[in-house]
Amino acid sequence: MSNFDYDLFVIGGGSGGVRAARVAAATGANVGLAEEFRMGGTCVIRGCVPKKLMVFASEYQEMFADARAYGWDVQDGTFNWPSFRTNLASELDRLEAVYRKLLVGSGVAIHDSRTTVTGTHEVALSDGTKFSVKHILVATGGRPVLPDIKNSELGITSNNIFLLPELPKKILIVGGGYIASEFACILNGLSVEVTQFYRGEQILRGFDDEARGLVSEMMIEKGVNLQLGMNVLEMEKYDDGICVKCTNGSEKIYDQVMFATGRTPNTDGLGLEAVGVEVGLSKEVMVDDYSQTKVPSIYAIGDVTNRVQLTPVAIREGMAFVETVFKGNPTKIDHALIPSAIFTQPEMGTVGLSEEDARQQEAIEVYATSFRPLQTAFANRPDRVLMKLVVSKTTRKVLGCHIVSPNAGEMIQLAGIAIKMGATKEQFDATCAVHPTISEELVTMRDPVRTA
Ligand code: NDP
C-alpha cells in the first residue's frame, strides 16, 4: 500500500492527460484526474473535433454544383448555422460523456475542479481539499492569445467560434498558421465573406514552399480575400461592426475579427515555480526527454510543454510517461517524422523535410507533379493537386512528402509509415500503383523535376 492518497494525480482532462491517467490506472496505480472545464480538453471541446465537423459542413457548398455536373437534379442549399451548432453541441456532449465513462471504467477518480500544485508531492483542489500524491502529471494544455494591438479584445479566438449565436456576414481572420488558414476556408465554405491578413510573405510558414503556395493560390481561387504582408494596427467598436485600421493605412468594417495568432501554455497560477519546476519564457513547463521536470515527482506532457502542439503527440508523450514511471521501461519521446495535416481547402498533408530545409542539409532530388484530379475536373472545377517527394541523393531515402489534395490527411498517414521506416525512392517505385487514384502518383513519378 502506498502512503500517498494517489500514486498519480493528473491535472488536465485533455487528450494527453486522459490517456496517461487511463493507462497508468491499468497498471494498478491509484489515479486521480482534475479538470476545471469540460473533459476532453482543447482537441475534443474547442479544437480538432469541432473544427473537423465544421470542415465537413463547409465542404457541402461545392458539392451541389459537382452533383449537377454528375447528372443530379439538385439546387444550391443554404446553410443553417443554428441547426448545425445544435447538432455540434450534442455531439460534443456525447464525446465528453465517452471520455468520462472511459476514465471511470478505468478506475480513475475524477475531480471537476481547478487544481494547483502546493508541494512536490501535494495538490490542492479549488475548495481547499489537499491530496498527497506520489507523482504529478501536468497536462493543462494551452490557450489562444490575443496580440498586443489596441482593442484586440474586440476580436474573438478559435475558442469562441463554435459558440457564436450567428455567423458573421463579413469576418477578418488574422494570422497565417494552421488555425487561421483552416478557419478562413471553413467560413468561406459556409458563405461568410472572409478576409485573411498575414503579416509575412506566404501563409503556413515552415511548410514546403510549393505546397503552401498551392494552398494559398487555391484559397484565393475559392474566394478567400487573402492579404499578405498585412496586419491590424488598431480596432474600434462602431455601431455597425468593428472598424479595423490596417498597416497599409486603409480602414474597413467587419462584423467579427478572429485572431489566430498563436497559443500559449496554461501555466499561470498553477504553483509550479514555487515548488521548483522550471517554466520557460513562453510560459512552457521545461521537461527532459522523459517529460520529467527539474522536480523528480513532477512530469508534464502536451501543449503545456510547447514541444509539438498536436493531439497525437500529447497522447504519445502520455504513454511514454506511463512506460517510464509505471512500467519500469524508461521511454524517450520520438518527435522525428511526425506526419500532420492542415485541413484547409484544399487539404495539405506533410511529413519530413520541406524542399527548402532538405536543401540546407544535403544533396537532394525533387519529384513532383501537379494536375487537375479526375473527380473535380469532370465538374469543371479548377482545383489542382500536388504530390511531392524530396529524396536524398546519397541514401535515396525519402526525406519529405508533401501532398495538397482532397483527403491529403488520410494519404499522409499511410505515406508516413513508409517514410518513418526509412523507405527509399526505389522502394516507393517498387510498389504497384492503385489506379485510378490521386495517390498513385506517389509511386509513379519517374524523373526528378529538380536536383539541388
Ligand atoms: P501558429 O503558431 O501556427 O500560427 C500563428 C500565426 O499568427 C502565424 O502565422 C504568425 O505569424 C501569426 N502571428 C503571431 N503573432 C502575430 C501578431 N502579433 N500579429 C499578426 N500575426 C501574428 O498558431 P495557430 O494558433 O494557428 O496554431 C497553434 C498550434 O496548434 C499549431 O502550431 C499546431 O501545432 C496546432 N494546430 C494543429 C492543427 C492540425 O494539426 N490540423 C490545427 C490547428 C492547430 P508568423 O508566421 O509571422 O510568426
Side-chain angles (χ1 to χ4, degrees):
M1 267 298 275
S2 157
N3 294 324
F4 294 98
D5 293 327
Y6 287 112
D7 299 317
L8 171 65
F9 198 93
V10 180
I11 309 179
S15 306
V18 167
R19 178 64 66 89
R22 285 174 48 210
V23 184
T27 67
N30 182 15
V31 182
L33 180 146
E35 167 57 53
E36 65 178 333
F37 185 53
R38 295 182 63 181
M39 206 62 77
T42 298
C43 172
V44 177
I45 304 298
R46 52 188 176 271
C48 323
V49 173
K51 181 274 306 284
K52 188 88 190 272
L53 292 167
M54 279 183 81
V55 170
F56 292 142
S58 68
E59 284 175 343
Y60 282 94
Q61 196 193 50
E62 288 183 321
M63 291 183 196
F64 297 112
D66 288 2
R68 283 195 292 274
Y70 279 90
W72 288 89
D73 179 16
V74 287
Q75 303 307 310
D76 283 357
T78 50
F79 178 67
N80 185 320
W81 168 252
S83 144
F84 170 76
R85 208 193 46 188
T86 306
N87 294 345
L88 178 65
S90 1
E91 179 59 7
L92 300 188
D93 288 347
R94 186 186 72 79
L95 290 172
E96 184 181 4
V98 169
Y99 266 68
R100 281 183 179 275
K101 203 169 154 199
L102 286 171
L103 282 168
V104 172
S106 314
V108 176
I110 298 176
H111 300 278
D112 289 300
S113 165
R114 177 158 175 86
T115 301
T116 51
V117 177
T118 44
T120 54
H121 287 283
E122 188 185 74
V123 294
L125 306 185
S126 51
D127 67 1
T129 311
K130 289 190 170 174
F131 295 115
S132 64
V133 298
K134 192 168 180 192
H135 298 286
I136 299 169
L137 181 66
V138 181
T140 48
R143 62 178 189 284
V145 278
L146 290 174
D148 192 13
I149 287 171
K150 188 180 160 200
N151 292 335
S152 62
E153 68 286 350
L154 292 172
I156 58 168
T157 67
S158 56
N159 275 0
N160 321 91
I161 196 87
F162 308 108
L163 306 170
L164 293 175
E166 57 189 45
L167 279 186
K169 288 199 171 54
K170 264 187 275 178
I171 193 167
L172 169 66
I173 299 183
V174 185
Y178 281 79
I179 298 180
S181 306
E182 290 181 343
F183 276 98
C185 296
I186 290 169
L187 294 170
N188 180 53
L190 297 179
S191 303
V192 176
E193 192 185 309
V194 177
T195 303
Q196 181 181 357
F197 283 2
Y198 174 53
R199 62 183 178 181
E201 283 174 16
Q202 185 54 280
I203 57 166
L204 300 171
R205 181 166 61 82
F207 292 97
D208 186 87
D209 278 356
E210 211 167 2
R212 65 199 183 115
L214 180 56
V215 171
S216 101
E217 191 187 318
M218 293 300 310
M219 281 171 63
I220 294 168
E221 173 81 43
K222 286 173 190 283
V224 174
N225 176 13
L226 174 60
Q227 303 200 14
L228 300 172
M230 185 72 110
N231 209 348
V232 175
L233 263 188
E234 56 181 64
M235 316 202 303
E236 216 167 305
K237 181 91 189 90
Y238 280 19
D239 287 345
D240 54 347
I242 301 166
C243 178
V244 175
K245 197 183 251 183
C246 316
T247 42
N248 69 353
S250 65
E251 281 183 19
K252 193 168 172 188
I253 295 175
Y254 298 92
D255 302 328
Q256 279 298 349
V257 177
M258 174 178 162
F259 287 103
T261 47
R263 298 174 60 85
T264 192
N266 282 327
T267 46
D268 289 350
L270 272 185
L272 293 169
E273 288 105 323
V275 300
V277 171
E278 203 184 332
V279 175
L281 283 178
S282 312
K283 298 190 177 182
E284 75 277 25
V285 179
M286 306 297 287
V287 288
D288 66 12
D289 290 347
Y290 299 92
S291 299
Q292 191 174 29
T293 69
K294 283 253 164 69
V295 178
S297 55
I298 305 181
Y299 289 72
I301 56 161
D303 286 5
V304 77
T305 64
N306 211 12
R307 287 176 281 184
V308 182
Q309 297 178 35
L310 295 173
T311 300
V313 175
I315 290 173
R316 292 176 77 83
E317 289 168 356
M319 308 274 277
F321 157 77
V322 175
E323 279 295 316
T324 303
V325 176
F326 291 93
K327 296 190 179 174
N329 173 28
T331 304
K332 283 190 187 182
I333 295 123
D334 177 8
H335 285 125
L337 291 172
I338 296 169
S340 76
I342 303 146
F343 294 98
T344 39
Q345 290 164 35
E347 212 167 291
M348 175 164 144
T350 178
V351 62
L353 296 177
S354 65
E355 177 180 341
E356 296 70 38
D357 286 347
R359 276 168 187 269
Q360 304 296 322
Q361 193 173 293
E362 57 184 295
I364 55 161
E365 284 179 352
V366 177
Y367 295 79
T369 177
S370 183
F371 55 95
R372 291 174 72 205
L374 188 64
Q375 187 178 5
T376 44
F378 181 85
N380 227 1
R381 266 208 252 161
D383 298 30
R384 275 190 298 128
V385 300
L386 170 75
M387 312 297 283
K388 177 166 177 177
L389 295 176
V390 180
V391 177
S392 162
K393 247 185 180 171
T394 0
T395 65
R396 305 299 301 154
K397 277 188 184 173
V398 178
L399 303 172
C401 176
H402 310 283
I403 301 176
V404 177
S405 158
N407 300 313
E410 305 290 346
M411 295 182 198
I412 206 70
Q413 177 68 82
L414 303 179
I417 300 171
I419 292 169
K420 183 80 183 163
M421 289 172 75
T424 60
K425 175 69 171 69
E426 284 62 36
Q427 286 168 325
F428 269 67
D429 294 348
T431 308
C432 187
V434 178
H435 186 72
T437 62
I438 296 172
S439 53
E440 68 181 302
E441 300 293 330
L442 285 178
V443 297
T444 55
M445 292 185 285
R446 292 289 162 234
D447 300 311
V449 289
R450 280 183 295 283
T451 54

